[in-house]
Amino acid sequence: MVLLKTVVAQASFIAALMFYLGAIYTSEYFGYFHLSFYSLDFSFAELVLQSLQLLKYQFLVAAVLILIVVAAGPQLSRLLSWSSRRAHTRPAASTPLAWLSTAITAAGLLLLIFWSEIQPYAWTAPLTIAAGLLLGQSRNVRGNPPDGLRRRAVVVFASGVFLFWALTQATQQFGEEDAKAHAADVVDWTSVVVLSSKPLSLPPPGVQEEKLPRENLLLPYRYTGLRLLLERHGRYYVVPADWKAKTDAVYVIQESNDLWIALRPGTQPAS
């Protein structure tokens, strides 16, 4: 029963963390397209899945490195203690591992000072500090038994705060980078063709409006040159094929009886 409660608690924490990171990523991503995250009505499950966008090379390398540093701490402590016993000497009051922990933490603080200079990878600063603090909590890192529970709890809490900060900063960076990469190839997005019973406020030259010559058509106005950014609950968020992030708007087309919307392949590269 205790094991089940522990598993449920850990699963709930992981799900909540993934939801938070997914919300941060989605907000940053669609914010680049001038869309409010709250207006898109993403569900809890959708935001949890969005957090998987963080599985990138830089993030995975950083995560592996910090795991190696933390996991190697106890092993290095035992190795140093074994070497001291072999030499018939008492463990030093401050082992090389303690110096390493201090050096890593100091390096993180130095990176923090140069926060603006190391953009967009400033999240490595709190990550480095967290790694140094966690390494300093390894058993016998200073040649002595572990510190009191209260002191260790404070240090672990501080490490968690720095890790949380690093995750937030990295998520924001990845969201913006992915949005910029997506916006660089607007012409390749899914093409949208709209037929309407009346003229729409979609300005040229990016959008082409055509009045079909046949009479008695229910939907005589045709709009082309549009690309689909997102479809949510019958709302189509579209942009012109020549869309520019800094100057152009995103248009929202709501499904209705006065509209017919078709989705077609975007411009494909020549084979």
Side-chain angles (χ1 to χ4, degrees):
M1 190 65 179
V2 175
L3 177 61
L4 178 61
K5 289 182 179 180
T6 302
V7 171
V8 171
Q10 291 179 348
S12 299
F13 172 77
I14 293 173
L17 179 61
M18 293 179 68
F19 169 79
Y20 170 78
L21 295 177
I24 293 294
Y25 176 89
T26 304
S27 177
E28 197 71 23
Y29 183 92
F30 288 105
Y32 183 80
F33 298 99
H34 323 303
L35 295 176
S36 170
F37 156 74
Y38 300 101
S39 67
L40 299 177
D41 299 326
F42 283 98
S43 67
F44 180 89
E46 287 174 318
L47 292 177
V48 168
L49 291 176
Q50 282 292 329
S51 68
L52 298 180
Q53 300 291 339
L54 300 180
L55 298 180
K56 300 180 182 295
Y57 175 77
Q58 307 98 308
F59 185 81
L60 293 177
V61 168
V64 170
L65 286 177
I66 194 172
L67 287 175
I68 290 175
V69 168
V70 174
Q75 304 301 326
L76 288 174
S77 294
R78 283 193 288 268
L79 178 61
L80 290 170
S81 178
W82 178 78
S83 299
S84 298
R85 289 195 299 269
R86 288 273 318 243
H88 303 289
T89 59
R90 295 181 59 188
S94 183
T95 68
L97 188 58
W99 285 107
L100 178 61
S101 170
T102 303
I104 292 176
T105 305
L109 291 173
L110 185 63
L111 291 173
L112 204 58
I113 293 175
F114 294 98
W115 179 270
S116 60
E117 304 297 327
I118 60 175
Q119 296 291 348
Y121 295 101
W123 53 270
T124 57
L127 184 67
T128 303
I129 295 174
L133 292 176
L134 290 174
L135 182 61
Q137 293 307 297
S138 300
R139 181 176 178 82
N140 294 326
V141 73
R142 300 184 180 279
N144 298 312
D147 297 325
L149 179 60
R150 180 176 299 178
R151 182 175 177 181
R152 287 175 60 85
V154 170
V155 176
V156 171
F157 176 78
S159 303
V161 170
F162 281 109
L163 279 175
F164 192 76
W165 183 13
L167 280 172
T168 301
Q169 292 295 320
T171 301
Q172 291 176 333
Q173 176 201 332
F174 294 151
E176 183 178 0
E177 286 183 350
D178 287 353
K180 288 181 178 179
H182 191 202
D185 299 312
V186 173
V187 73
D188 296 334
W189 297 3
T190 300
S191 175
V192 179
V193 177
V194 179
L195 296 181
S196 175
S197 62
K198 55 188 177 179
L200 303 177
S201 299
L202 298 176
V207 182
Q208 292 81 49
E209 180 185 81
E210 179 184 3
K211 178 70 178 297
L212 300 179
R214 293 179 58 185
E215 298 181 358
N216 301 322
L217 289 177
L218 295 177
L219 305 171
Y221 295 93
R222 180 167 66 183
Y223 294 87
T224 56
L226 295 168
R227 296 295 184 268
L228 178 67
L229 171 62
L230 179 71
E231 187 278 325
R232 296 289 299 170
H233 310 302
R235 298 192 302 270
Y236 292 80
Y237 297 83
V238 299
V239 299
D242 59 351
W243 185 82
K244 301 295 185 296
K246 293 183 178 180
T247 58
D248 296 342
V250 174
Y251 304 108
V252 183
I253 300 177
Q254 178 71 51
E255 280 185 344
S256 70
N257 294 331
D258 296 326
L259 293 175
W260 179 84
I261 301 172
L263 304 180
R264 303 168 58 185
T267 300
Q268 301 298 314
S271 55

